[in-house]
Coordinates of all heavy atoms in Angstrom, one line a residue:
M238 N -119.8 -39.0 -88.0 CA -119.2 -39.4 -89.3 C -120.2 -39.5 -90.4 O -120.0 -39.1 -91.5 CB -118.5 -40.8 -89.0 CG -118.1 -41.4 -90.3 SD -116.5 -41.0 -90.8 CE -115.8 -42.6 -90.5
R239 N -121.4 -40.1 -90.1 CA -122.5 -40.2 -91.1 C -122.9 -38.8 -91.6 O -123.1 -38.6 -92.7 CB -123.7 -40.9 -90.6 CG -123.4 -42.4 -90.4 CD -124.7 -43.1 -89.9 NE -124.4 -44.4 -89.6 CZ -125.3 -45.3 -89.2 NH1 -126.5 -45.0 -89.2 NH2 -124.9 -46.5 -88.9
E240 N -122.9 -37.8 -90.6 CA -123.3 -36.5 -91.0 C -122.3 -35.8 -91.9 O -122.7 -35.2 -92.9 CB -123.5 -35.6 -89.7 CG -123.8 -34.2 -90.0 CD -125.2 -34.0 -90.7 OE1 -126.1 -34.9 -90.5 OE2 -125.3 -33.1 -91.5
L241 N -121.0 -36.1 -91.7 CA -120.0 -35.6 -92.6 C -120.1 -36.1 -94.0 O -120.1 -35.4 -94.9 CB -118.6 -35.9 -92.0 CG -117.4 -35.5 -92.8 CD1 -117.3 -34.0 -93.0 CD2 -116.1 -36.0 -92.2
I242 N -120.3 -37.5 -94.1 CA -120.4 -38.1 -95.4 C -121.7 -37.6 -96.1 O -121.7 -37.3 -97.3 CB -120.4 -39.6 -95.3 CG1 -119.0 -40.1 -94.9 CG2 -120.9 -40.3 -96.6 CD1 -118.9 -41.5 -94.6
R243 N -122.8 -37.4 -95.3 CA -124.0 -36.9 -95.9 C -123.8 -35.5 -96.4 O -124.3 -35.2 -97.5 CB -125.2 -36.9 -94.9 CG -126.5 -36.5 -95.4 CD -127.6 -36.6 -94.4 NE -127.6 -38.0 -93.8 CZ -127.6 -38.2 -92.5 NH1 -127.5 -37.2 -91.6 NH2 -127.6 -39.4 -92.0
R244 N -123.2 -34.7 -95.7 CA -122.9 -33.3 -96.1 C -122.1 -33.2 -97.3 O -122.3 -32.5 -98.3 CB -122.3 -32.5 -95.0 CG -122.1 -31.0 -95.3 CD -121.6 -30.3 -94.0 NE -120.4 -30.8 -93.4 CZ -119.2 -30.3 -93.7 NH1 -119.0 -29.3 -94.6 NH2 -118.1 -30.8 -93.1
L245 N -121.0 -34.1 -97.4 CA -120.2 -34.1 -98.5 C -120.9 -34.7 -99.8 O -120.6 -34.2 -100.9 CB -118.9 -34.9 -98.2 CG -118.0 -34.4 -97.2 CD1 -116.9 -35.4 -96.8 CD2 -117.4 -33.1 -97.6
S246 N -121.8 -35.6 -99.6 CA -122.5 -36.2 -100.7 C -123.4 -35.2 -101.4 O -123.6 -35.3 -102.6 CB -123.4 -37.3 -100.2 OG -122.6 -38.4 -99.7
F247 N -124.0 -34.2 -100.7 CA -124.9 -33.3 -101.3 C -124.3 -32.1 -101.8 O -124.9 -31.3 -102.5 CB -126.0 -32.9 -100.2 CG -126.9 -34.0 -99.9 CD1 -127.0 -34.5 -98.6 CD2 -127.7 -34.6 -100.9 CE1 -127.8 -35.6 -98.3 CE2 -128.5 -35.7 -100.6 CZ -128.6 -36.2 -99.3
S248 N -123.0 -31.9 -101.6 CA -122.3 -30.7 -102.2 C -122.2 -30.9 -103.7 O -121.8 -31.9 -104.2 CB -121.0 -30.5 -101.6 OG -120.1 -31.5 -101.8
D249 N -122.6 -29.9 -104.5 CA -122.6 -30.0 -105.9 C -121.2 -29.9 -106.4 O -120.7 -30.7 -107.2 CB -123.5 -28.9 -106.5 CG -123.8 -29.1 -108.0 OD1 -123.5 -30.2 -108.5 OD2 -124.2 -28.1 -108.6
R250 N -120.6 -28.8 -106.1 CA -119.2 -28.6 -106.5 C -118.5 -27.8 -105.4 O -119.1 -26.9 -104.8 CB -119.1 -27.8 -107.8 CG -119.5 -28.7 -109.0 CD -119.4 -27.9 -110.3 NE -118.2 -28.1 -111.1 CZ -117.8 -29.3 -111.6 NH1 -118.3 -30.4 -111.2 NH2 -116.7 -29.3 -112.4
V251 N -117.3 -28.2 -105.2 CA -116.5 -27.5 -104.2 C -115.3 -26.8 -104.9 O -114.6 -27.5 -105.7 CB -115.9 -28.5 -103.1 CG1 -115.0 -27.7 -102.1 CG2 -117.0 -29.2 -102.4
S252 N -115.1 -25.5 -104.7 CA -114.1 -24.8 -105.4 C -113.0 -24.5 -104.5 O -113.2 -23.9 -103.4 CB -114.6 -23.6 -106.1 OG -113.6 -22.9 -106.8
D253 N -111.8 -24.7 -105.0 CA -110.6 -24.3 -104.2 C -109.8 -23.2 -105.0 O -108.7 -23.0 -104.7 CB -109.7 -25.5 -103.9 CG -109.0 -26.1 -105.1 OD1 -109.5 -25.8 -106.2 OD2 -108.1 -26.8 -104.9
G254 N -110.5 -22.7 -106.0 CA -109.8 -21.7 -106.9 C -109.2 -22.3 -108.1 O -108.8 -21.6 -109.0
S255 N -109.2 -23.6 -108.3 CA -108.6 -24.2 -109.4 C -109.7 -24.9 -110.3 O -109.3 -25.7 -111.2 CB -107.6 -25.3 -109.0 OG -108.2 -26.3 -108.3
G256 N -110.9 -24.6 -110.2 CA -111.9 -25.1 -111.1 C -113.0 -26.0 -110.4 O -114.0 -26.3 -111.0
G257 N -112.7 -26.5 -109.2 CA -113.8 -27.2 -108.5 C -113.5 -28.7 -108.6 O -112.6 -29.2 -109.3
V258 N -114.4 -29.4 -107.9 CA -114.3 -30.9 -107.7 C -115.6 -31.4 -108.2 O -116.7 -30.9 -107.9 CB -114.1 -31.2 -106.2 CG1 -114.2 -32.7 -106.0 CG2 -112.8 -30.7 -105.8
P259 N -115.6 -32.5 -109.0 CA -116.8 -33.1 -109.6 C -117.8 -33.5 -108.5 O -117.4 -33.9 -107.4 CB -116.3 -34.3 -110.4 CG -114.9 -34.1 -110.5 CD -114.4 -33.2 -109.4
R260 N -119.1 -33.5 -108.8 CA -120.1 -34.0 -107.9 C -119.8 -35.4 -107.5 O -119.4 -36.2 -108.3 CB -121.5 -33.9 -108.6 CG -122.6 -34.3 -107.8 CD -123.9 -34.1 -108.6 NE -125.1 -34.5 -107.8 CZ -125.7 -33.7 -106.9 NH1 -125.2 -32.5 -106.7 NH2 -126.7 -34.1 -106.2
G261 N -120.1 -35.7 -106.3 CA -119.9 -37.1 -105.7 C -118.4 -37.3 -105.3 O -118.1 -38.4 -104.9
C262 N -117.6 -36.3 -105.3 CA -116.2 -36.4 -104.9 C -116.0 -35.3 -103.8 O -116.7 -34.4 -103.7 CB -115.3 -36.1 -106.1 SG -115.4 -37.4 -107.3
V263 N -114.9 -35.6 -103.1 CA -114.5 -34.6 -102.0 C -113.0 -34.4 -102.1 O -112.3 -35.3 -102.3 CB -115.0 -35.2 -100.6 CG1 -114.3 -36.5 -100.3 CG2 -114.7 -34.2 -99.5
P264 N -112.6 -33.1 -101.9 CA -111.2 -32.8 -101.9 C -110.7 -33.1 -100.5 O -111.3 -32.7 -99.5 CB -111.2 -31.3 -102.3 CG -112.5 -30.8 -101.8 CD -113.5 -31.9 -101.9
L265 N -109.5 -33.7 -100.5 CA -108.8 -34.0 -99.2 C -107.4 -33.4 -99.2 O -106.7 -33.5 -100.3 CB -108.8 -35.5 -98.9 CG -110.1 -36.3 -98.9 CD1 -109.8 -37.7 -98.8 CD2 -110.8 -35.9 -97.7
L266 N -107.0 -32.9 -98.1 CA -105.6 -32.5 -98.0 C -105.0 -33.4 -96.9 O -105.3 -33.4 -95.8 CB -105.5 -31.0 -97.5 CG -104.1 -30.5 -97.3 CD1 -103.3 -30.5 -98.6 CD2 -104.1 -29.1 -96.7
V267 N -104.1 -34.3 -97.4 CA -103.4 -35.2 -96.5 C -102.2 -34.4 -95.9 O -101.3 -34.0 -96.7 CB -102.9 -36.5 -97.2 CG1 -102.2 -37.4 -96.2 CG2 -104.2 -37.2 -97.7
V268 N -102.2 -34.0 -94.6 CA -101.2 -33.1 -94.1 C -99.9 -33.7 -93.8 O -98.9 -32.9 -93.6 CB -101.8 -32.3 -92.9 CG1 -102.9 -31.4 -93.3 CG2 -102.2 -33.3 -91.8
G269 N -99.7 -35.0 -93.8 CA -98.4 -35.6 -93.6 C -97.8 -35.5 -92.2 O -98.4 -34.8 -91.3
D270 N -96.7 -36.1 -92.0 CA -96.0 -36.1 -90.7 C -94.7 -35.2 -90.8 O -94.0 -35.3 -91.8 CB -95.5 -37.5 -90.3 CG -96.6 -38.5 -90.3 OD1 -97.8 -38.2 -90.5 OD2 -96.3 -39.7 -90.1
G271 N -94.5 -34.4 -89.9 CA -93.2 -33.7 -89.7 C -92.7 -33.0 -91.0 O -93.3 -32.0 -91.4
D272 N -91.7 -33.6 -91.6 CA -91.0 -32.9 -92.8 C -91.8 -33.2 -94.1 O -91.5 -32.6 -95.1 CB -89.6 -33.4 -92.9 CG -88.8 -32.9 -91.7 OD1 -89.1 -31.9 -91.1 OD2 -87.8 -33.6 -91.4
E273 N -92.7 -34.2 -94.1 CA -93.4 -34.6 -95.3 C -94.3 -33.5 -95.8 O -95.0 -32.9 -95.0 CB -94.2 -35.9 -95.0 CG -94.9 -36.5 -96.2 CD -95.6 -37.7 -95.9 OE1 -96.2 -37.8 -94.7 OE2 -95.7 -38.6 -96.7
E274 N -94.3 -33.2 -97.1 CA -95.2 -32.2 -97.6 C -96.6 -32.7 -97.7 O -96.9 -33.9 -97.8 CB -94.7 -31.8 -99.0 CG -93.5 -31.0 -99.0 CD -93.2 -30.4 -100.4 OE1 -94.1 -30.1 -101.1 OE2 -92.0 -30.3 -100.7
S275 N -97.6 -31.8 -97.6 CA -99.0 -32.1 -97.8 C -99.3 -32.4 -99.3 O -98.6 -31.9 -100.1 CB -99.9 -31.0 -97.3 OG -99.6 -30.7 -96.0
E276 N -100.3 -33.3 -99.5 CA -100.7 -33.6 -100.8 C -102.2 -33.5 -100.9 O -102.9 -33.9 -99.9 CB -100.3 -35.0 -101.3 CG -98.8 -35.1 -101.6 CD -98.5 -36.4 -102.3 OE1 -99.2 -36.9 -103.1 OE2 -97.4 -36.9 -102.0
R277 N -102.7 -33.0 -102.0 CA -104.2 -32.9 -102.2 C -104.7 -34.1 -103.1 O -104.0 -34.5 -104.0 CB -104.5 -31.6 -102.9 CG -104.2 -30.4 -102.1 CD -104.4 -29.1 -102.9 NE -104.1 -28.0 -102.1 CZ -105.0 -27.0 -101.8 NH1 -106.2 -27.1 -102.2 NH2 -104.6 -26.0 -101.0
F278 N -105.8 -34.6 -102.7 CA -106.5 -35.7 -103.5 C -108.0 -35.4 -103.7 O -108.5 -34.6 -102.9 CB -106.4 -37.0 -102.7 CG -105.0 -37.5 -102.5 CD1 -104.2 -37.1 -101.4 CD2 -104.4 -38.4 -103.4 CE1 -102.9 -37.5 -101.2 CE2 -103.1 -38.9 -103.2 CZ -102.4 -38.4 -102.1
V279 N -108.6 -36.0 -104.7 CA -110.0 -36.0 -104.9 C -110.5 -37.4 -104.8 O -110.0 -38.3 -105.6 CB -110.4 -35.3 -106.2 CG1 -111.9 -35.4 -106.5 CG2 -109.9 -33.9 -106.3
V280 N -111.4 -37.7 -103.9 CA -111.8 -39.1 -103.7 C -113.4 -39.1 -103.8 O -114.0 -38.2 -103.3 CB -111.4 -39.5 -102.3 CG1 -111.8 -40.9 -101.9 CG2 -109.9 -39.4 -102.1
R281 N -113.9 -40.2 -104.3 CA -115.3 -40.4 -104.4 C -115.9 -40.6 -103.0 O -115.2 -41.2 -102.1 CB -115.7 -41.7 -105.2 CG -115.2 -41.7 -106.6 CD -116.1 -41.1 -107.6 NE -117.5 -41.4 -107.4 CZ -118.5 -40.7 -107.9 NH1 -118.2 -39.6 -108.5 NH2 -119.8 -41.0 -107.7
V282 N -117.0 -40.0 -102.7 CA -117.6 -40.0 -101.4 C -117.9 -41.5 -100.9 O -117.7 -41.8 -99.7 CB -118.9 -39.2 -101.3 CG1 -119.7 -39.4 -100.1 CG2 -118.6 -37.7 -101.5
E283 N -118.3 -42.3 -101.8 CA -118.6 -43.7 -101.5 C -117.3 -44.4 -100.9 O -117.5 -45.3 -100.0 CB -119.0 -44.6 -102.7 CG -120.3 -44.1 -103.3 CD -120.1 -43.0 -104.3 OE1 -119.1 -43.0 -105.0 OE2 -121.0 -42.1 -104.4
A284 N -116.2 -44.1 -101.3 CA -114.9 -44.7 -100.8 C -114.7 -44.3 -99.3 O -114.1 -45.1 -98.6 CB -113.7 -44.2 -101.6
L285 N -115.2 -43.2 -98.9 CA -115.0 -42.8 -97.5 C -115.7 -43.7 -96.5 O -115.4 -43.7 -95.3 CB -115.5 -41.3 -97.3 CG -114.7 -40.3 -98.2 CD1 -115.3 -38.9 -98.0 CD2 -113.2 -40.3 -97.9
R286 N -116.6 -44.5 -97.0 CA -117.4 -45.4 -96.1 C -116.5 -46.7 -95.8 O -116.9 -47.4 -94.8 CB -118.7 -45.8 -96.7 CG -119.7 -44.7 -96.8 CD -121.0 -45.2 -97.3 NE -122.0 -44.1 -97.3 CZ -122.3 -43.4 -98.4 NH1 -121.7 -43.6 -99.5 NH2 -123.2 -42.4 -98.3
H287 N -115.5 -46.9 -96.5 CA -114.7 -48.1 -96.3 C -114.0 -47.9 -94.9 O -113.5 -46.9 -94.6 CB -113.7 -48.3 -97.4 CG -112.9 -49.6 -97.3 ND1 -111.8 -49.8 -96.5 CD2 -113.2 -50.8 -98.0 CE1 -111.4 -51.0 -96.7 NE2 -112.2 -51.7 -97.5
P288 N -113.9 -49.0 -94.2 CA -113.3 -48.9 -92.8 C -111.9 -48.3 -92.8 O -111.5 -47.6 -91.9 CB -113.3 -50.4 -92.3 CG -114.4 -51.0 -93.1 CD -114.4 -50.4 -94.4
S289 N -111.0 -48.6 -93.8 CA -109.7 -48.1 -93.8 C -109.7 -46.6 -93.9 O -108.8 -45.9 -93.3 CB -108.8 -48.7 -94.9 OG -109.3 -48.4 -96.1
L290 N -110.6 -46.0 -94.7 CA -110.7 -44.6 -94.8 C -111.5 -43.9 -93.7 O -111.3 -42.8 -93.3 CB -111.3 -44.2 -96.2 CG -110.3 -44.5 -97.4 CD1 -111.1 -44.3 -98.7 CD2 -109.1 -43.7 -97.3
A291 N -112.5 -44.7 -93.2 CA -113.3 -44.2 -92.1 C -112.5 -43.9 -90.9 O -112.7 -42.9 -90.1 CB -114.5 -45.1 -91.8
V292 N -111.5 -44.7 -90.6 CA -110.6 -44.5 -89.5 C -109.8 -43.2 -89.6 O -109.7 -42.5 -88.7 CB -109.6 -45.7 -89.4 CG1 -108.4 -45.4 -88.4 CG2 -110.3 -47.0 -88.9
L293 N -109.4 -42.9 -90.9 CA -108.6 -41.7 -91.1 C -109.6 -40.5 -91.0 O -109.2 -39.4 -90.5 CB -108.0 -41.7 -92.5 CG -106.9 -42.8 -92.7 CD1 -106.4 -42.8 -94.1 CD2 -105.8 -42.6 -91.7
L294 N -110.8 -40.6 -91.4 CA -111.8 -39.5 -91.2 C -112.0 -39.3 -89.7 O -112.2 -38.1 -89.3 CB -113.1 -39.8 -91.9 CG -113.1 -39.7 -93.4 CD1 -114.5 -40.0 -94.0 CD2 -112.7 -38.3 -93.9
E295 N -112.1 -40.3 -89.0 CA -112.3 -40.2 -87.5 C -111.1 -39.4 -86.9 O -111.3 -38.6 -86.0 CB -112.6 -41.5 -86.8 CG -113.0 -41.4 -85.4 CD -114.2 -40.6 -85.2 OE1 -115.2 -40.7 -86.0 OE2 -114.3 -39.8 -84.2
M296 N -109.9 -39.8 -87.3 CA -108.7 -39.1 -86.9 C -108.8 -37.6 -87.2 O -108.5 -36.7 -86.4 CB -107.5 -39.7 -87.5 CG -107.1 -41.0 -86.9 SD -105.7 -41.8 -87.8 CE -104.5 -40.5 -88.0
A297 N -109.3 -37.3 -88.4 CA -109.4 -35.9 -88.9 C -110.4 -35.2 -88.0 O -110.2 -34.0 -87.6 CB -109.9 -35.9 -90.4
A298 N -111.5 -35.8 -87.7 CA -112.6 -35.2 -86.9 C -112.1 -34.9 -85.5 O -112.3 -33.9 -84.9 CB -113.8 -36.1 -86.8
Q299 N -111.3 -35.9 -84.9 CA -110.7 -35.6 -83.6 C -109.7 -34.5 -83.5 O -109.7 -33.7 -82.6 CB -110.1 -36.9 -83.1 CG -111.1 -38.0 -82.8 CD -110.4 -39.3 -82.4 OE1 -109.2 -39.4 -82.3 NE2 -111.2 -40.4 -82.2
E300 N -108.9 -34.4 -84.6 CA -107.9 -33.3 -84.6 C -108.5 -32.0 -85.0 O -108.1 -30.9 -84.5 CB -106.7 -33.7 -85.5 CG -105.6 -32.7 -85.4 CD -104.3 -33.2 -85.9 OE1 -104.1 -34.4 -85.8 OE2 -103.5 -32.4 -86.4
F301 N -109.3 -32.0 -86.1 CA -109.8 -30.7 -86.7 C -111.2 -30.4 -86.4 O -111.7 -29.3 -86.8 CB -109.5 -30.7 -88.2 CG -108.0 -30.9 -88.5 CD1 -107.6 -32.0 -89.2 CD2 -107.1 -30.0 -88.2 CE1 -106.3 -32.2 -89.5 CE2 -105.7 -30.1 -88.5 CZ -105.4 -31.3 -89.2
G302 N -112.0 -31.3 -85.9 CA -113.4 -31.1 -85.7 C -114.3 -31.6 -86.9 O -113.8 -31.8 -87.9
Y303 N -115.6 -31.7 -86.6 CA -116.5 -32.1 -87.6 C -116.9 -31.0 -88.6 O -117.5 -31.3 -89.6 CB -117.8 -32.8 -87.0 CG -117.5 -34.2 -86.5 CD1 -117.2 -34.4 -85.1 CD2 -117.5 -35.2 -87.3 CE1 -117.0 -35.7 -84.7 CE2 -117.3 -36.5 -86.9 CZ -117.1 -36.7 -85.5 OH -116.8 -38.0 -85.1
K304 N -116.7 -29.8 -88.3 CA -117.2 -28.7 -89.1 C -116.1 -28.0 -89.8 O -116.0 -26.8 -89.9 CB -118.0 -27.7 -88.3 CG -119.2 -28.4 -87.7 CD -120.2 -27.4 -87.1 CE -121.3 -28.2 -86.5 NZ -122.5 -27.4 -86.4
Q305 N -115.2 -28.8 -90.4 CA -114.1 -28.2 -91.2 C -114.7 -27.4 -92.4 O -115.6 -27.9 -93.0 CB -113.1 -29.2 -91.7 CG -112.3 -29.9 -90.7 CD -111.3 -30.9 -91.3 OE1 -110.6 -30.4 -92.2 NE2 -111.2 -32.1 -90.9
E306 N -114.2 -26.3 -92.7 CA -114.6 -25.5 -93.8 C -113.6 -25.7 -94.9 O -112.4 -25.8 -94.7 CB -114.7 -24.0 -93.4 CG -115.6 -23.8 -92.3 CD -116.8 -22.9 -92.6 OE1 -116.8 -22.3 -93.7 OE2 -117.7 -22.9 -91.8
G307 N -114.1 -25.7 -96.2 CA -113.2 -25.9 -97.3 C -112.7 -27.3 -97.4 O -113.5 -28.2 -97.2
I308 N -111.5 -27.4 -97.8 CA -110.9 -28.7 -98.0 C -110.8 -29.5 -96.7 O -110.6 -29.0 -95.6 CB -109.5 -28.6 -98.7 CG1 -109.1 -30.0 -99.2 CG2 -108.5 -28.0 -97.7 CD1 -107.9 -29.9 -100.2
L309 N -111.1 -30.8 -96.8 CA -111.1 -31.7 -95.6 C -109.6 -32.1 -95.4 O -109.0 -32.7 -96.2 CB -111.9 -32.9 -95.9 CG -112.1 -33.9 -94.8 CD1 -112.7 -33.3 -93.5 CD2 -112.9 -35.1 -95.2
R310 N -109.1 -31.8 -94.2 CA -107.7 -32.1 -93.8 C -107.7 -33.4 -93.1 O -108.4 -33.7 -92.2 CB -107.1 -31.0 -93.0 CG -107.0 -29.7 -93.7 CD -106.7 -28.6 -92.8 NE -107.9 -28.3 -91.9 CZ -107.9 -27.7 -90.8 NH1 -106.8 -27.1 -90.4 NH2 -109.0 -27.5 -90.1
V311 N -106.7 -34.3 -93.6 CA -106.6 -35.6 -93.0 C -105.2 -35.7 -92.4 O -104.2 -35.6 -93.1 CB -106.8 -36.7 -94.0 CG1 -106.6 -38.1 -93.4 CG2 -108.2 -36.6 -94.6
P312 N -105.0 -35.9 -91.1 CA -103.7 -35.9 -90.4 C -103.1 -37.3 -90.4 O -103.2 -38.1 -89.5 CB -104.0 -35.5 -89.0 CG -105.4 -36.1 -88.7 CD -106.1 -36.0 -90.1
C313 N -102.4 -37.7 -91.5 CA -101.7 -38.9 -91.6 C -100.6 -38.8 -92.6 O -100.6 -37.9 -93.4 CB -102.6 -40.1 -91.9 SG -103.2 -40.2 -93.6
A314 N -99.7 -39.8 -92.7 CA -98.6 -39.8 -93.7 C -99.3 -40.1 -95.0 O -100.2 -40.8 -95.1 CB -97.6 -40.8 -93.3
V315 N -98.7 -39.5 -96.1 CA -99.2 -39.6 -97.4 C -99.2 -41.1 -97.8 O -100.2 -41.6 -98.4 CB -98.4 -38.8 -98.4 CG1 -98.9 -39.1 -99.8 CG2 -98.7 -37.3 -98.1
H316 N -98.1 -41.8 -97.5 CA -98.1 -43.2 -97.8 C -99.1 -44.0 -97.1 O -99.7 -45.0 -97.7 CB -96.7 -43.8 -97.6 CG -96.3 -44.0 -96.1 ND1 -96.7 -45.1 -95.4 CD2 -95.7 -43.2 -95.3 CE1 -96.3 -45.0 -94.2 NE2 -95.7 -43.8 -94.0
Q317 N -99.5 -43.7 -95.9 CA -100.6 -44.3 -95.1 C -101.9 -44.1 -95.8 O -102.7 -45.0 -95.9 CB -100.6 -43.8 -93.7 CG -101.7 -44.4 -92.9 CD -101.8 -43.8 -91.5 OE1 -101.1 -42.8 -91.2 NE2 -102.6 -44.3 -90.6
F318 N -102.1 -42.8 -96.3 CA -103.4 -42.5 -97.0 C -103.5 -43.3 -98.3 O -104.5 -43.9 -98.6 CB -103.5 -41.0 -97.3 CG -104.7 -40.6 -97.9 CD1 -105.9 -40.5 -97.2 CD2 -104.7 -40.3 -99.3 CE1 -107.1 -40.2 -97.9 CE2 -105.9 -40.0 -99.9 CZ -107.1 -39.9 -99.2
K319 N -102.4 -43.4 -99.0 CA -102.4 -44.1 -100.3 C -102.7 -45.6 -100.1 O -103.4 -46.2 -100.8 CB -101.1 -43.9 -101.0 CG -100.9 -42.5 -101.6 CD -99.6 -42.4 -102.3 CE -99.4 -41.0 -102.9 NZ -98.1 -40.8 -103.6
Q320 N -102.1 -46.1 -99.0 CA -102.4 -47.5 -98.6 C -103.8 -47.8 -98.3 O -104.4 -48.7 -98.7 CB -101.5 -48.0 -97.5 CG -101.6 -49.4 -97.1 CD -100.6 -49.8 -96.0 OE1 -99.9 -49.0 -95.5 NE2 -100.6 -51.1 -95.7
A321 N -104.4 -46.8 -97.6 CA -105.8 -46.9 -97.2 C -106.7 -46.9 -98.5 O -107.7 -47.6 -98.6 CB -106.2 -45.8 -96.2
L322 N -106.3 -46.0 -99.4 CA -107.1 -45.9 -100.7 C -107.0 -47.2 -101.4 O -108.0 -47.7 -102.0 CB -106.5 -44.8 -101.6 CG -106.9 -43.4 -101.3 CD1 -106.1 -42.4 -102.2 CD2 -108.4 -43.2 -101.4
S323 N -105.8 -47.8 -101.5 CA -105.6 -49.1 -102.1 C -106.4 -50.2 -101.5 O -107.1 -51.0 -102.2 CB -104.1 -49.4 -102.1 OG -103.9 -50.7 -102.7
T324 N -106.4 -50.2 -100.2 CA -107.2 -51.2 -99.4 C -108.7 -51.1 -99.7 O -109.4 -52.1 -99.8 CB -107.0 -51.1 -97.9 OG1 -105.6 -51.3 -97.6 CG2 -107.8 -52.1 -97.1
A325 N -109.1 -49.8 -99.9 CA -110.5 -49.6 -100.1 C -110.9 -49.8 -101.6 O -112.1 -49.8 -102.0 CB -110.9 -48.1 -99.7
G326 N -109.9 -50.0 -102.4 CA -110.1 -50.2 -103.8 C -110.6 -48.9 -104.5 O -111.2 -48.9 -105.6
A327 N -110.2 -47.8 -103.9 CA -110.6 -46.5 -104.4 C -109.6 -45.9 -105.4 O -108.4 -46.1 -105.2 CB -110.8 -45.5 -103.2
V328 N -110.1 -45.2 -106.3 CA -109.3 -44.4 -107.2 C -109.4 -43.0 -106.8 O -110.4 -42.4 -106.6 CB -109.7 -44.6 -108.7 CG1 -108.9 -43.8 -109.6 CG2 -109.7 -46.1 -109.1
S329 N -108.2 -42.3 -106.8 CA -108.2 -40.9 -106.4 C -107.4 -40.2 -107.5 O -106.7 -40.8 -108.2 CB -107.6 -40.7 -105.1 OG -106.2 -40.9 -105.1
T330 N -107.6 -38.9 -107.5 CA -106.8 -38.0 -108.4 C -106.1 -37.0 -107.5 O -106.7 -36.4 -106.6 CB -107.8 -37.3 -109.3 OG1 -108.6 -38.2 -110.0 CG2 -107.0 -36.4 -110.3
K331 N -104.8 -36.9 -107.7 CA -104.1 -35.8 -107.1 C -104.4 -34.5 -107.8 O -104.5 -34.5 -109.0 CB -102.5 -36.1 -107.1 CG -102.1 -37.1 -106.1 CD -100.6 -37.3 -106.2 CE -99.8 -36.1 -106.1 NZ -98.4 -36.3 -106.0
Y332 N -104.5 -33.4 -107.0 CA -104.8 -32.1 -107.7 C -104.1 -31.1 -106.9 O -103.6 -31.2 -105.9 CB -106.2 -31.9 -107.8 CG -107.0 -31.4 -106.6 CD1 -107.3 -30.0 -106.5 CD2 -107.2 -32.2 -105.6 CE1 -108.0 -29.6 -105.4 CE2 -107.9 -31.7 -104.4 CZ -108.3 -30.4 -104.4 OH -108.9 -30.0 -103.3

């Protein structure tokens, strides 16, 4: 987990074709459950250290591995991710 956060911290800009993500932030794709649509977010790397978000990152690592390329996919319901962001006191941007 520390390696993932360290790697994300040093990335200057990540581009998904829409202009990129600011330094110090990471793009996340919350894949949702069943019929729920996926949503994209941009979150500050520091917020990922909070326990509520660290649990979701560990779930992502178990399901998709530690060496995901491109956008980081998080396997949880969108409302669960938003609740974890709120608990962490993090501000995110949908993109």
Side-chain angles (χ1 to χ4, degrees):
M238 168 92 110
R239 288 183 190 185
E240 180 61 32
L241 176 62
I242 290 175
R243 184 176 307 126
R244 184 170 57 94
L245 295 172
S246 296
F247 290 117
S248 63
D249 190 16
R250 288 182 98 54
V251 178
S252 179
D253 67 346
S255 65
V258 174
R260 183 177 180 85
C262 295
V263 60
L265 300 171
L266 178 65
V267 179
V268 294
D270 304 354
D272 296 332
E273 186 179 33
E274 287 191 32
S275 300
E276 286 190 38
R277 295 173 181 245
F278 295 86
V279 175
V280 179
R281 300 271 320 154
V282 171
E283 297 85 36
L285 300 178
R286 291 187 176 98
H287 190 277
S289 63
L290 292 172
V292 167
L293 297 178
L294 284 181
E295 188 58 38
M296 287 172 46
Q299 289 175 5
E300 185 160 332
F301 302 114
Y303 282 98
K304 297 191 180 206
Q305 292 188 49
E306 302 245 347
I308 193 166
L309 182 61
R310 294 169 292 163
V311 179
C313 73
V315 173
H316 71 86
Q317 179 185 5
F318 181 76
K319 288 179 180 178
Q320 184 176 4
L322 282 175
S323 177
T324 301
V328 176
S329 72
T330 305
K331 282 179 57 175
Y332 79 106

